[in-house]
Amino acid sequence: MERLIKEYFKFFSNKDILSLEKLFAEDIKLVDWETYAKGKDEVIKANKKIFDQVDTLQIEVNNLYINGQTAICLIDILINKSEKLKVIDLIRFNNDNKITLISAYKQ
């Protein structure tokens, strides 16, 4: 699962929608401080909206905790090479190793 988490953050940093889509389950949910999206199509649209609002994204994983099919990730997101966000992501996978939940909390 660690490999999948690292791929997810790499694809997100690269604004790679096609690769992200392959990681998502059909019934995925995305919840953060600004967004609630349910279903693969809605989550893809939410990601596109984020990507359209920024020039660059860089994610650094500071700590990663995995318990079963759930990961808690403490990350720094550098937006447009200047704005830094500290975020905690809770990411849950199904038995097919597809992401079913991304719940992000800004610190």
Side-chain angles (χ1 to χ4, degrees):
M1 185 180 327
E2 184 174 344
R3 177 186 59 80
L4 292 172
I5 296 289
K6 289 181 178 178
E7 282 183 354
Y8 166 74
F9 288 125
K10 180 179 93 175
F11 298 153
F12 195 90
S13 291
N14 292 334
K15 303 195 286 185
D16 184 347
I17 289 290
L18 295 176
S19 295
L20 285 170
E21 186 175 7
K22 292 175 185 174
L23 294 178
F24 295 163
E26 290 298 324
D27 61 345
I28 188 172
K29 288 184 200 171
L30 169 66
V31 182
D32 68 19
W33 54 95
E34 294 179 349
T35 305
Y36 176 84
K38 185 175 181 181
K40 188 187 275 192
D41 290 340
E42 280 191 35
V43 171
I44 293 296
K45 285 179 191 174
N47 281 322
K48 283 182 183 177
K49 182 179 175 186
I50 293 167
F51 297 160
D52 288 345
Q53 293 174 348
V54 301
D55 291 324
T56 63
L57 288 168
Q58 182 179 349
I59 298 176
E60 181 180 343
V61 179
N62 297 316
N63 287 299
L64 175 62
Y65 305 97
I66 298 172
N67 185 5
Q69 297 294 99
T70 303
I72 298 172
C73 315
L74 282 66
I75 62 174
D76 290 334
I77 304 174
L78 187 61
I79 301 168
N80 297 330
K81 299 181 182 178
S82 61
E83 181 185 353
K84 188 174 185 179
L85 293 177
K86 293 186 125 346
V87 176
I88 299 172
D89 274 359
L90 184 143
I91 302 173
R92 186 172 297 137
F93 290 82
N94 64 17
N95 290 332
D96 295 325
N97 290 323
K98 299 290 185 181
I99 298 173
T100 59
L101 174 68
I102 303 166
S103 189
Y105 304 89
K106 186 164 56 170
Q107 294 184 336

